[in-house]
Amino acid sequence: MGGETELASKWDAGVDVVRFLWVGFFSSLPAWARYTVLALFGLTVAYGFLSWLRNRSSAVPEGEGTAQEVDETAPDDDETVQENGTRVR
């Protein structure tokens, strides 16, 4: 073995993996298998994105709680509240 060793960068390994998958996927798979794999991959990405969105929108930001937790001077539950059918957001 020679004294000179050339090390590959991390990008070389990534490019090789992508090239391997690209050639294996587009040149050797039949169309029905290719479209099935693409559909499964697309559904997985869409499910992950929608799950992320759902968790992001349902999470309570740090430092904020319900109104009862934040306002400790809130009146007791004994007080009568009139409900007149007005919708409140």
Side-chain angles (χ1 to χ4, degrees):
M1 295 187 91
E4 295 181 23
T5 303
E6 187 173 329
L7 298 175
S9 72
K10 61 182 174 183
W11 293 108
D12 288 339
V15 168
D16 289 340
V17 168
V18 169
R19 188 179 330 157
F20 173 76
L21 293 174
W22 184 270
V23 169
F25 186 71
F26 284 110
S27 65
S28 63
L29 282 179
W32 65 269
R34 189 174 334 158
Y35 297 139
T36 302
V37 170
L38 280 174
L40 289 173
F41 179 74
L43 288 172
T44 303
V45 169
Y47 178 76
F49 178 71
L50 291 174
S51 296
W52 173 77
L53 264 181
R54 185 175 52 241
N55 290 337
R56 183 174 177 251
S57 65
S58 68
V60 176
E62 245 181 77
E64 294 184 17
T66 62
Q68 193 71 0
E69 292 173 354
V70 173
D71 187 15
E72 293 181 7
T73 61
D76 293 336
D77 291 335
D78 297 345
E79 189 175 326
T80 304
V81 177
Q82 181 180 1
E83 294 183 20
N84 59 2
T86 304
R87 294 178 58 185
V88 181
R89 289 186 180 191

